[in-house]
């Protein structure tokens, strides 16, 4: 294959044109509430371990499949190490899992709206995403699950990003998805620590269920890029094959191992702080008239009209939040704003106060601009 310098498109993979590059705004911002990372900082024992690791010898490759991390994750969740597969962030684990259980061209059922990376990962693997819409109460209607043969992978997420809602019928949904299809069911539990609930216990009885976790949110290690999944040993082995060796760096592995063993109490304290701050800011937003969606995670989805314009003004005021302009109109709250919403990461109270005043000012500016355009027309 030759790649033409003048017409590079001719050598590119069919189907990739329509896939967008994930490219968040790189400009610095004083208060970044856009990505749901831990605004209380990083775990202290893991931070010390990174210092020690840097002082050591990094000339060697890390362990091919991060054996010590599997041990630590297994102890944290009380499962066998043979049931753990790790990766460069849970994105990597999700990508590998989707690839290992679907043939090119297969369909993947994806909760909608849910984690924006999933349809991209599905398409990058030559697969086709099909929407599994949330109900008006942000649940999965079990009758809407695909029938046998229709999909080879079903992606679920609870608490769900970007809605923040938990699937109260997660167990029934998983049971129905496993019963209706021969494929794999993925439950993304990136925010499980905030919800205080998990379906990990179902894995030992269901060898087609995979539960995915991350160190990027409650554990405060997003920059280290560590995620993992829990599944039956032979399923996990397939994901590991698809993933390939050396995906978790030595620094990341050491930091994550220490976080999962010595920083669990720290993590729980930060989760409690996040929940307290979340409920306080949700009440403040409701008092201002916003229809905040009830959250079980460390962020809030706030339906607003012209979300991108509001977020742009907020960023100019030093506060970054994540706008969505066209979420599916699954609920009355999202229908009222025509699918517009801001996703706001929960943070220590001074940052929440800064967010609230930036939101007030930005919303007023956007409303005034709209009036000016209206009176000019
Ligand atoms: C943040 C997030 C992830 C985590 O990604 P990493 O690659 O582990 O940083 C996975 N799933 C969901 C739903 C998320 O919100």
């Amino acid at each position: 294959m030759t790649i033409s310098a003048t017409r590079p498109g001719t050598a590119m993979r069919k189907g990739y044109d329509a896939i967008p590059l994930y490219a968040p705004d790189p400009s610095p911002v004083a208060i970044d509430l856009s990505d749901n990372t831990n605004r209380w900082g990083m775990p202290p024992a893991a931070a010390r371990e990174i210092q020690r690791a840097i002082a050591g010898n990094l000339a060697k490759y890390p362990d091919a499949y991060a054996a010590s991390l599997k041990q630590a994750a297994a102890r944290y969740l009380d499962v066998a190490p043979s049931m753990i597969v790790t990766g460069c962030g849970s994105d990597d684990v999700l990508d590998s899992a989707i690839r290992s259980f679907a043939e090119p061209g297969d369909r993947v059922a994806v909760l909608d709206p849910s984690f924006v990376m999933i349809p991209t990962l599905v398409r990058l693997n030559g697969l086709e995403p099909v929407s599994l819409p949330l109900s008006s109460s942000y649940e999965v209607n079990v009758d809407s699950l695909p029938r046998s043969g229709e999909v080879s992978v079903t992606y679920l997420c609870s608490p769900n990003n970007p809605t923040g809602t938990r699937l109260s019928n997660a167990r029934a949904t998983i049971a129905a998805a496993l019963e209706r299809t021969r494929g794999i069911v993925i439950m993304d539990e990136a925010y499980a620590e905030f919800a205080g609930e998990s379906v990990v216990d179902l894995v030992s009885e269901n060898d087609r269920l995979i539960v995915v976790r991350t160190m990027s949110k409650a554990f405060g290690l997003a920059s280290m890029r560590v995620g993992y999944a829990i599944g039956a040993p032979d399923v996990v082995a397939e994901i590991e094959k698809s993933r390939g060796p050396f995906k978790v760096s030595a620094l990341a592995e050491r930091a994550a191992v220490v976080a999962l063993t010595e920083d669990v109490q720290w993590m729980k304290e930060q989760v409690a702080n996040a929940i307290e701050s979340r409920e306080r800011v949700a009440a403040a937003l409701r008092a201002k008239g916003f229809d905040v969606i009830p959250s079980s995670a460390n962020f809030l989805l706030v339906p607003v009209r012209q979300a991108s314009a509001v977020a742009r003004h907020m960023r100019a005021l030093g506060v970054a939040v994540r706008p969505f302009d066209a979420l599916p109109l699954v609920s009355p709250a999202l229908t009222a704003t025509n699918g517009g919403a801001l996703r706001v990461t929960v943070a220590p109270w001074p940052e929440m106060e800064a967010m609230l005043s930036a939101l007030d000012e930005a919303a007023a500016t956007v409303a005034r601009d709209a009036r000016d355009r209206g009176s000019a027309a």
Side-chain angles (χ1 to χ4, degrees), residues 35-36 88-92 94 115 155 157 161 188 190-191 214-217 225-227:
D35 62 9
N36 303 344
C88 176
S90 54
D91 282 12
D92 183 32
L94 288 161
F115 188 31
Y155 172 86
C157 185
N161 177 4
D188 189 337
Y191 302 97
T214 180
M215 299 302 291
S216 299
K217 307 287 162 60
R225 310 302 302 126
V226 180

Side-chain angles (χ1 to χ4, degrees), residues 25-157:
D25 187 340
S27 62
V29 65
I31 300 177
D32 188 351
L33 308 177
S34 70
D35 62 9
N36 303 344
T37 49
N38 195 326
R39 295 299 295 170
W40 280 266
M42 65 182 295
R48 288 191 296 272
E49 182 68 8
I50 292 169
Q51 296 288 348
R52 275 195 292 273
I54 289 172
N57 184 358
L58 296 174
K60 276 163 62 72
Y61 278 104
D63 185 76
Y65 299 102
S68 69
L69 176 55
K70 287 189 195 183
Q71 295 275 357
R75 263 197 314 274
Y76 171 60
L77 292 175
D78 197 19
V79 298
S82 60
M83 297 175 74
I84 306 281
V85 55
T86 68
C88 176
S90 54
D91 282 12
D92 183 32
V93 178
L94 288 161
D95 181 34
S96 308
I98 289 167
R99 181 163 59 243
S100 31
F101 298 105
E103 301 289 339
D106 278 4
R107 304 210 292 174
V108 175
V110 181
L111 199 63
D112 187 21
S114 190
F115 188 31
V116 289
M117 284 304 292
I118 301 300
T120 299
L121 296 176
V122 167
R123 290 198 183 91
L124 287 171
N125 284 299
L127 308 165
E128 190 196 334
V130 292
S131 164
L132 179 58
L134 281 174
S135 73
S136 59
S137 52
Y138 308 101
E139 303 283 352
V140 173
N141 175 356
V142 170
D143 293 327
S144 69
L145 286 166
R147 286 273 167 201
S148 190
E150 287 179 357
V151 300
S152 36
V153 178
T154 301
Y155 172 86
L156 303 170
C157 185

Side-chain angles (χ1 to χ4, degrees), residues 21-361:
L21 178 73
Y22 181 77
D25 187 340
S27 62
V29 65
I31 300 177
D32 188 351
L33 308 177
S34 70
D35 62 9
N36 303 344
T37 49
N38 195 326
R39 295 299 295 170
W40 280 266
M42 65 182 295
R48 288 191 296 272
E49 182 68 8
I50 292 169
Q51 296 288 348
R52 275 195 292 273
I54 289 172
N57 184 358
L58 296 174
K60 276 163 62 72
Y61 278 104
D63 185 76
Y65 299 102
S68 69
L69 176 55
K70 287 189 195 183
Q71 295 275 357
R75 263 197 314 274
Y76 171 60
L77 292 175
D78 197 19
V79 298
S82 60
M83 297 175 74
I84 306 281
V85 55
T86 68
C88 176
S90 54
D91 282 12
D92 183 32
V93 178
L94 288 161
D95 181 34
S96 308
I98 289 167
R99 181 163 59 243
S100 31
F101 298 105
E103 301 289 339
D106 278 4
R107 304 210 292 174
V108 175
V110 181
L111 199 63
D112 187 21
S114 190
F115 188 31
V116 289
M117 284 304 292
I118 301 300
T120 299
L121 296 176
V122 167
R123 290 198 183 91
L124 287 171
N125 284 299
L127 308 165
E128 190 196 334
V130 292
S131 164
L132 179 58
L134 281 174
S135 73
S136 59
S137 52
Y138 308 101
E139 303 283 352
V140 173
N141 175 356
V142 170
D143 293 327
S144 69
L145 286 166
R147 286 273 167 201
S148 190
E150 287 179 357
V151 300
S152 36
V153 178
T154 301
Y155 172 86
L156 303 170
C157 185
S158 180
N160 184 40
N161 177 4
T163 56
T165 50
R166 58 185 277 274
L167 295 176
S168 70
N169 64 346
R171 286 164 186 268
T173 303
I174 290 166
L178 289 168
E179 188 195 304
R180 282 173 173 237
T181 72
R182 288 186 303 274
I184 287 287
V185 174
I186 297 174
M187 172 57 94
D188 189 337
E189 289 193 341
Y191 302 97
E193 282 87 359
F194 299 100
E197 63 180 6
S198 171
V199 296
V200 164
D201 60 291
L202 295 179
V203 169
S204 52
E205 306 143 38
N206 297 285
D207 60 5
R208 288 181 292 124
L209 173 64
I210 299 161
V211 178
V212 180
R213 292 288 192 93
T214 180
M215 299 302 291
S216 299
K217 307 287 162 60
F219 274 103
L221 287 175
S223 70
M224 287 282 111
R225 310 302 302 126
V226 180
Y228 59 98
I230 308 93
D234 55 340
V235 166
V236 155
E238 283 305 294
I239 299 175
E240 201 153 74
K241 194 195 294 176
S242 152
R243 189 210 77 163
F246 309 125
K247 290 296 171 72
V248 178
S249 78
L251 279 184
E253 183 174 6
R254 285 179 63 168
V257 166
V258 169
L260 286 167
T261 42
E262 295 174 36
D263 287 317
V264 174
Q265 191 52 38
W266 175 89
M267 179 277 288
K268 288 181 176 165
E269 286 161 16
Q270 306 326 310
V271 163
N273 286 333
I275 291 171
E276 188 188 337
S277 194
R278 181 187 75 204
E279 294 312 306
R280 192 170 168 194
V281 76
L285 287 162
R286 289 193 184 106
K288 290 174 187 293
F290 292 100
D291 193 357
V292 182
I293 296 171
S295 170
S296 298
N298 67 333
F299 58 89
L300 288 166
L301 191 68
V302 187
V304 299
R305 289 183 174 277
Q306 295 186 269
S308 278
V310 175
R312 204 163 44 245
H313 287 290
M314 288 178 75
R315 195 174 178 110
L317 297 166
V319 180
V321 297
R322 175 68 193 269
F324 294 86
D325 287 315
L327 290 172
L329 310 183
V330 294
S331 67
L334 288 171
T335 304
T337 60
N338 208 19
L342 300 175
R343 194 192 63 197
V344 182
T345 306
V346 166
W349 189 246
E351 296 194 350
M352 296 287 84
E353 283 182 312
M355 183 280 293
L356 289 167
S357 56
L359 174 59
D360 276 344
E361 193 174 332

